[in-house]
Amino acid sequence: MSETTLSGGSVVPGWAGHCGRSEATEVVQSMRITATGHAGVRLDTAGGSILCDPWSNPAYLDSWFPFPANHSLAWDELGECDYLYVSHLHRDHFDRALLDRNVRKSARVLLPDYRTTDLEDGLRSLGFRHVVRCPNGTPVDIDGVRVMIEALVSPADGPIGDSALAVDDGSARIYDMNDARPPDTSTIARFGAIDAHLLQFSGAIWYPMVYEMPQRAKDALARQKRGRQLDRARRYVEAVGARYVVPFAGPPCFLDEDLLELNDFDGTETNIFPDQTVFLEHLVEHGITGGRLLVPGSAMTLLDGHCEVSHADPDPMRPFTHKRAYLEDYAARERPAIELRHTQRAASPRTPDLLGRLKAWWEPLLEVADHIRDGVGGPVLLDFGEDRIVIDFPARTVRLPAPDEKYRYRFGVERDLVEEILHANETDWVNSLFLSLRFRAARVGPYNEYIYTFFKCLSPERIYYAEGWYADRSGETETVALDDWQVQKRCPHLKADLSRFGVLEDDGVLACQMHGFRFDLATGRCLNSDGYHLEATRLEPTSALGG
């Protein structure tokens, strides 16, 4: 592998130095990618600037921090953008405080075609009013720039959705895959040859670290997971075939003293959080030489298939070559704020009747969670210290444990963390509590997708969406009778159960009371929005007795 000497005199691998032709930056029309850390970039294109997934504040109960640090960037300048793209609601992509404080509200939002409104609602609540709805997987022209967003909408995709962005301004095409996992690459292949491919390669999960098992078994599972992550990312790289590849969207770093050793300080094969340099070396080992390192403040200029990378940091390799010292310094700077928030959590008031609160909240969700109920198949124990609570999925109840009861799935969480997410009214414990890695888990048997789907969907809107998605996947075509009409059971909009929420109006219209969507029964046409169709058939009148 070639090496490059930067202006400061330090020698770094070829993928970390300047690349391509120097004249690329001398041409007026070129695409410039400025890295803002983690999955964040600002794209300066021929048709305007797009700020993507800006994240700077700690996420997941002070567990995740951007690596390398990005707090010193000129966020107000970066936030003076024409467009904003937030790929999904993970807190390391949707940074509410940064979006509120540093991004101008006149920016037009490039919105993925999600089935729920959670992301749009979150952005509108911050003052973003100008929304460009991008049809799924379909290129659209925006101010002379071709843009395409591929939305992934299964319950396993992020917090009810993840997405990837492709941009073509005539000088270059980029594919920002962040941490999305498209089922295939045919959609991006139709968009055209890609110049720069940005994608996740490292861990963003709690497995297997939080599980109660022998260390030897845990190490074997972690080694396997690390290898699979790198291989999966490389296969995406090979399938897309871009000239240049930028590893990003992780890993985060962990600065709390309780979590510090989760960082991959020494390139350990049993650590699931390898950094960018590990993946770049992995690519080289497999004959892929287009990898490029971007750290916060780095800029890649693209034109006519060539690129030039420049770094704002005179020593961009230090966070990788002196990682332990770098992260210990970083942790020391952040420690007062971390400890303050720990103290505040410990002092927060306790919910007097935790069982009663969870029972009133979760039992109505369990009542309609047919697929999730069957998928879990047994009781799940939540150990909150002084409180132990069981979610009995088969019985659709939340209750106290029974004597000598056995559980295939157990979770242990400190009570102050439970109070934190209760006070925040979190309807997604997976992408708040679990991603913090501040819990313990045990299971008998394999991973169960349905348990984590339930914890993502702690609201009626989300639980109906997940149930409808599972029903569609299984090919169910269940219908219900509403007066003299037979209609599909689930609303075409967000899969609400029409036997519960469907109301027939006098003018031949069915209204779904979950979100107010209305359908003309004679034609099935949605009266609120294009793209939704209701299957409905008028029932034959029953003949009178003796007729």
Coordinates of all heavy atoms in Angstrom, one line a residue, residues 60 62-64 202-211 215 218-219 222 226 251-268 270-275 323-324 327 434-439:
Y60 N -28.0 8.0 23.4 CA -28.3 6.7 24.1 C -27.8 6.8 25.6 O -26.9 6.0 26.0 CB -27.8 5.5 23.4 CG -28.1 5.5 21.9 CD1 -27.1 5.5 20.9 CD2 -29.4 5.5 21.5 CE1 -27.5 5.6 19.6 CE2 -29.8 5.5 20.2 CZ -28.8 5.6 19.2 OH -29.1 5.6 17.9
D62 N -26.0 8.9 27.3 CA -24.6 9.2 27.4 C -23.6 8.1 27.1 O -22.5 8.1 27.6 CB -24.3 9.8 28.8 CG -24.9 11.1 29.1 OD1 -24.7 12.0 28.2 OD2 -25.6 11.3 30.1
S63 N -24.1 7.1 26.3 CA -23.2 6.0 26.0 C -22.4 6.3 24.7 O -21.2 5.9 24.6 CB -24.0 4.7 25.8 OG -24.6 4.3 27.0
W64 N -23.0 6.8 23.7 CA -22.4 7.0 22.4 C -21.9 8.4 22.2 O -22.6 9.4 22.4 CB -23.4 6.7 21.2 CG -23.8 5.3 21.0 CD1 -24.0 4.3 22.0 CD2 -24.1 4.7 19.8 NE1 -24.4 3.2 21.4 CE2 -24.4 3.3 20.0 CE3 -24.1 5.1 18.5 CZ2 -24.8 2.5 19.0 CZ3 -24.4 4.2 17.5 CH2 -24.8 2.9 17.7
S202 N -19.0 -1.0 10.8 CA -18.7 -1.4 12.2 C -20.0 -1.7 13.0 O -21.1 -1.5 12.5 CB -17.9 -0.2 12.9 OG -17.4 -0.6 14.1
G203 N -19.8 -2.1 14.2 CA -21.0 -2.5 15.0 C -21.8 -1.3 15.5 O -21.3 -0.2 15.6
A204 N -23.1 -1.6 15.6 CA -24.0 -0.6 16.2 C -25.1 -1.3 17.0 O -26.3 -1.2 16.7 CB -24.6 0.3 15.1
I205 N -24.7 -2.2 17.9 CA -25.6 -3.1 18.5 C -25.0 -3.5 19.9 O -23.8 -3.2 20.2 CB -25.7 -4.4 17.6 CG1 -26.9 -5.3 18.0 CG2 -24.5 -5.2 17.6 CD1 -28.3 -4.6 17.8
W206 N -25.7 -4.2 20.7 CA -25.3 -4.6 22.0 C -24.9 -6.1 22.1 O -24.4 -6.5 23.1 CB -26.5 -4.4 23.0 CG -27.8 -5.1 22.4 CD1 -28.1 -6.4 22.6 CD2 -28.8 -4.5 21.6 NE1 -29.3 -6.7 21.9 CE2 -29.7 -5.5 21.4 CE3 -29.0 -3.2 21.2 CZ2 -30.9 -5.3 20.6 CZ3 -30.2 -3.0 20.4 CH2 -31.1 -4.0 20.1
Y207 N -25.0 -6.8 21.0 CA -24.7 -8.2 21.0 C -23.2 -8.4 20.6 O -22.7 -7.8 19.7 CB -25.6 -8.9 20.0 CG -25.3 -10.3 19.7 CD1 -25.8 -11.3 20.6 CD2 -24.5 -10.7 18.6 CE1 -25.6 -12.7 20.3 CE2 -24.3 -12.1 18.4 CZ -24.8 -13.0 19.2 OH -24.5 -14.4 19.0
P208 N -22.5 -9.3 21.3 CA -23.0 -10.2 22.4 C -22.6 -9.6 23.8 O -22.7 -10.4 24.8 CB -22.2 -11.5 22.1 CG -20.9 -11.0 21.6 CD -21.2 -9.8 20.8
M209 N -22.1 -8.4 23.8 CA -21.5 -7.9 25.1 C -22.4 -8.0 26.3 O -21.9 -8.2 27.4 CB -21.0 -6.5 24.9 CG -19.9 -6.4 23.9 SD -20.5 -6.4 22.2 CE -21.4 -4.8 22.1
V210 N -23.7 -7.7 26.1 CA -24.6 -7.6 27.3 C -25.1 -8.9 27.8 O -25.7 -9.0 28.8 CB -25.8 -6.7 27.0 CG1 -25.3 -5.3 26.5 CG2 -26.7 -7.3 26.0
Y211 N -24.8 -10.0 27.0 CA -25.4 -11.3 27.3 C -24.6 -12.0 28.4 O -23.4 -11.9 28.5 CB -25.5 -12.2 26.1 CG -26.7 -11.8 25.3 CD1 -26.7 -10.9 24.3 CD2 -27.9 -12.4 25.5 CE1 -27.8 -10.5 23.5 CE2 -29.1 -12.1 24.7 CZ -29.0 -11.2 23.8 OH -30.1 -10.8 23.0
Q215 N -17.2 -16.1 29.1 CA -16.5 -15.2 28.3 C -15.9 -15.9 27.0 O -15.9 -15.2 26.0 CB -15.3 -14.7 29.1 CG -14.5 -13.5 28.5 CD -15.4 -12.3 28.2 OE1 -16.2 -11.9 29.1 NE2 -15.4 -11.7 27.0
K218 N -18.7 -15.8 24.6 CA -18.9 -14.4 24.2 C -17.8 -13.9 23.2 O -18.2 -13.3 22.2 CB -19.0 -13.5 25.4 CG -19.5 -12.1 25.1 CD -19.5 -11.3 26.4 CE -20.5 -11.8 27.4 NZ -20.7 -10.9 28.5
D219 N -16.6 -14.3 23.4 CA -15.5 -13.9 22.5 C -15.7 -14.6 21.2 O -15.4 -13.9 20.1 CB -14.2 -14.3 23.1 CG -13.7 -13.5 24.3 OD1 -14.3 -12.4 24.5 OD2 -12.8 -13.8 25.0
A222 N -18.4 -12.7 19.3 CA -18.0 -11.4 18.9 C -17.0 -11.5 17.7 O -17.1 -10.6 16.8 CB -17.3 -10.7 20.1
R226 N -17.7 -9.6 14.2 CA -16.8 -8.6 13.6 C -16.5 -9.0 12.2 O -16.5 -8.2 11.3 CB -15.5 -8.6 14.5 CG -14.4 -7.6 13.9 CD -13.2 -7.8 14.8 NE -12.1 -7.0 14.3 CZ -11.6 -5.8 14.9 NH1 -12.3 -5.3 15.9 NH2 -10.6 -5.2 14.4
P251 N -17.4 3.6 13.9 CA -18.0 3.2 15.1 C -18.2 4.5 16.0 O -17.5 5.5 15.8 CB -17.0 2.3 15.8 CG -15.7 2.8 15.3 CD -15.9 3.3 13.9
P252 N -19.1 4.4 17.0 CA -19.1 5.5 18.0 C -18.0 5.2 19.0 O -17.3 4.1 18.9 CB -20.5 5.3 18.7 CG -20.7 3.8 18.6 CD -20.2 3.4 17.2
C253 N -17.7 6.1 19.9 CA -16.8 5.7 21.0 C -17.6 5.8 22.3 O -18.6 6.5 22.4 CB -15.6 6.6 21.0 SG -15.9 8.4 21.2
F254 N -17.0 5.2 23.3 CA -17.7 5.0 24.6 C -16.8 5.7 25.6 O -15.6 5.2 25.8 CB -17.9 3.6 24.9 CG -18.7 2.9 23.8 CD1 -18.0 2.2 22.8 CD2 -20.1 2.9 23.8 CE1 -18.7 1.5 21.8 CE2 -20.7 2.3 22.7 CZ -20.0 1.6 21.8
L255 N -17.2 6.7 26.3 CA -16.4 7.5 27.2 C -16.7 7.4 28.6 O -15.9 7.8 29.5 CB -16.5 9.0 26.7 CG -16.1 9.3 25.3 CD1 -16.2 10.8 25.0 CD2 -14.8 8.8 24.9
D256 N -17.9 6.9 29.0 CA -18.2 6.6 30.4 C -17.2 5.6 30.9 O -16.9 4.6 30.2 CB -19.6 6.1 30.5 CG -20.2 6.1 31.9 OD1 -19.4 5.8 32.8 OD2 -21.3 6.5 32.1
E257 N -16.8 5.7 32.1 CA -15.8 4.8 32.7 C -16.4 3.3 32.7 O -15.6 2.4 32.5 CB -15.5 5.2 34.1 CG -14.6 6.4 34.2 CD -14.2 6.8 35.7 OE1 -14.7 6.0 36.6 OE2 -13.6 7.8 35.9
D258 N -17.7 3.2 32.8 CA -18.3 1.8 32.8 C -18.2 1.2 31.5 O -18.4 0.0 31.4 CB -19.7 1.9 33.3 CG -19.8 2.3 34.8 OD1 -18.8 2.2 35.5 OD2 -20.9 2.8 35.1
L259 N -18.1 2.0 30.4 CA -18.2 1.5 29.0 C -16.9 1.6 28.3 O -16.8 1.2 27.1 CB -19.3 2.2 28.3 CG -20.7 2.1 28.9 CD1 -21.6 3.0 28.1 CD2 -21.2 0.7 28.9
L260 N -15.9 2.3 28.8 CA -14.6 2.6 28.1 C -14.0 1.5 27.4 O -13.5 1.6 26.3 CB -13.7 3.3 29.0 CG -12.5 4.0 28.4 CD1 -13.0 5.2 27.5 CD2 -11.5 4.5 29.4
E261 N -14.0 0.3 28.0 CA -13.3 -0.9 27.4 C -14.0 -1.5 26.3 O -13.5 -2.4 25.7 CB -13.0 -1.9 28.5 CG -12.0 -1.4 29.6 CD -10.7 -1.0 28.9 OE1 -10.1 -1.7 28.0 OE2 -10.1 0.1 29.4
L262 N -15.2 -1.0 26.0 CA -15.9 -1.4 24.7 C -15.2 -0.9 23.5 O -15.4 -1.5 22.4 CB -17.3 -1.0 24.7 CG -18.3 -1.6 25.7 CD1 -19.6 -0.9 25.7 CD2 -18.4 -3.1 25.5
N263 N -14.4 0.1 23.6 CA -13.7 0.7 22.4 C -12.6 -0.3 21.9 O -12.0 -1.0 22.7 CB -13.0 2.0 22.8 CG -14.0 3.1 23.2 OD1 -14.7 3.5 22.3 ND2 -13.9 3.5 24.4
D264 N -12.4 -0.4 20.6 CA -11.4 -1.3 20.0 C -10.1 -0.6 20.0 O -9.6 0.0 19.0 CB -11.9 -1.6 18.6 CG -11.0 -2.7 18.0 OD1 -10.2 -3.4 18.7 OD2 -10.9 -2.8 16.7
F265 N -9.4 -0.6 21.2 CA -8.1 0.1 21.3 C -7.0 -0.6 20.5 O -6.1 0.1 20.0 CB -7.7 0.1 22.8 CG -8.5 1.0 23.6 CD1 -9.3 0.4 24.7 CD2 -8.6 2.3 23.4 CE1 -10.1 1.2 25.5 CE2 -9.4 3.2 24.2 CZ -10.1 2.6 25.3
D266 N -7.0 -1.9 20.3 CA -5.9 -2.6 19.8 C -6.2 -3.5 18.6 O -5.4 -4.4 18.3 CB -5.2 -3.5 20.9 CG -4.9 -2.7 22.2 OD1 -4.2 -1.6 22.0 OD2 -5.4 -3.1 23.2
G267 N -7.3 -3.2 17.9 CA -7.6 -4.0 16.8 C -7.9 -5.5 17.2 O -7.6 -6.4 16.4
T268 N -8.6 -5.6 18.3 CA -8.8 -7.0 18.8 C -9.9 -7.7 18.0 O -10.9 -7.1 17.7 CB -9.3 -6.9 20.3 OG1 -8.4 -6.1 21.0 CG2 -9.4 -8.2 20.9
T270 N -12.0 -9.8 18.9 CA -13.2 -10.1 19.6 C -13.9 -8.8 19.9 O -14.9 -8.8 20.7 CB -12.9 -10.8 20.9 OG1 -11.9 -10.1 21.6 CG2 -12.3 -12.2 20.6
N271 N -13.6 -7.7 19.3 CA -14.3 -6.4 19.5 C -15.1 -6.1 18.2 O -14.6 -6.2 17.1 CB -13.3 -5.3 19.7 CG -14.0 -4.0 20.1 OD1 -14.7 -3.4 19.4 ND2 -13.7 -3.6 21.4
I272 N -16.4 -5.8 18.4 CA -17.3 -5.6 17.3 C -17.3 -4.2 16.8 O -18.1 -3.8 15.9 CB -18.8 -6.0 17.6 CG1 -19.5 -5.0 18.5 CG2 -18.8 -7.4 18.2 CD1 -21.0 -5.1 18.5
F273 N -16.4 -3.3 17.3 CA -16.4 -1.9 16.9 C -15.1 -1.5 16.3 O -14.4 -0.6 16.7 CB -16.6 -1.0 18.2 CG -17.9 -1.2 18.9 CD1 -18.0 -1.9 20.1 CD2 -19.1 -0.9 18.3 CE1 -19.2 -2.1 20.7 CE2 -20.3 -1.1 18.9 CZ -20.4 -1.7 20.1
P274 N -14.7 -2.2 15.2 CA -13.5 -1.8 14.5 C -13.6 -0.4 13.9 O -14.7 0.0 13.6 CB -13.3 -2.9 13.4 CG -14.8 -3.4 13.1 CD -15.4 -3.3 14.5
D275 N -12.5 0.3 13.8 CA -12.6 1.6 13.3 C -12.3 1.7 11.8 O -12.1 0.7 11.1 CB -11.7 2.6 14.0 CG -10.2 2.2 13.9 OD1 -9.8 1.8 12.8 OD2 -9.4 2.4 14.9
K323 N -4.9 5.6 19.9 CA -6.4 5.7 20.2 C -6.6 5.7 21.7 O -7.5 6.5 22.2 CB -7.1 4.4 19.6 CG -8.6 4.5 19.8 CD -9.3 3.3 19.3 CE -9.4 3.3 17.8 NZ -10.3 2.2 17.3
R324 N -5.9 4.9 22.5 CA -6.2 4.9 23.9 C -5.9 6.3 24.5 O -6.8 6.8 25.3 CB -5.4 3.9 24.7 CG -5.7 3.8 26.1 CD -5.0 2.6 26.8 NE -5.6 1.3 26.4 CZ -6.6 0.8 27.0 NH1 -7.3 1.4 27.9 NH2 -7.1 -0.4 26.5
L327 N -8.7 8.7 23.3 CA -10.0 8.5 23.9 C -10.0 8.8 25.4 O -11.0 9.3 26.0 CB -10.5 7.1 23.7 CG -10.9 6.8 22.3 CD1 -11.4 5.4 22.1 CD2 -12.0 7.7 21.8
F434 N -31.8 0.1 24.9 CA -30.9 -1.0 24.5 C -29.6 -0.6 23.8 O -28.6 -1.2 24.1 CB -31.7 -2.0 23.7 CG -32.8 -2.7 24.4 CD1 -33.8 -3.4 23.7 CD2 -32.9 -2.7 25.8 CE1 -34.9 -4.0 24.4 CE2 -33.9 -3.4 26.5 CZ -34.9 -4.0 25.8
L435 N -29.7 0.4 22.9 CA -28.5 0.8 22.3 C -27.5 1.5 23.2 O -26.4 1.7 22.8 CB -28.8 1.7 21.1 CG -29.2 1.0 19.8 CD1 -29.5 2.0 18.7 CD2 -28.0 0.1 19.3
S436 N -28.0 1.8 24.4 CA -27.0 2.4 25.4 C -26.0 1.3 25.9 O -25.0 1.7 26.5 CB -27.8 3.0 26.6 OG -28.3 1.9 27.4
L437 N -26.3 0.1 25.7 CA -25.6 -1.1 26.2 C -25.6 -1.1 27.7 O -24.8 -1.8 28.3 CB -24.1 -1.0 25.7 CG -23.9 -1.5 24.2 CD1 -24.3 -0.3 23.3 CD2 -22.5 -1.9 23.9
R438 N -26.5 -0.4 28.3 CA -26.5 -0.3 29.8 C -27.6 -1.3 30.3 O -28.5 -0.8 31.0 CB -26.8 1.1 30.3 CG -25.7 2.1 29.9 CD -26.1 3.5 30.4 NE -25.2 4.6 29.9 CZ -24.0 4.9 30.5 NH1 -23.6 4.2 31.5 NH2 -23.3 5.9 30.0
F439 N -27.5 -2.5 29.9 CA -28.5 -3.5 30.4 C -27.8 -4.9 30.3 O -26.7 -5.0 29.7 CB -29.8 -3.4 29.6 CG -29.7 -4.0 28.2 CD1 -30.3 -5.2 27.9 CD2 -29.1 -3.3 27.2 CE1 -30.2 -5.7 26.6 CE2 -29.1 -3.8 25.9 CZ -29.6 -5.0 25.6

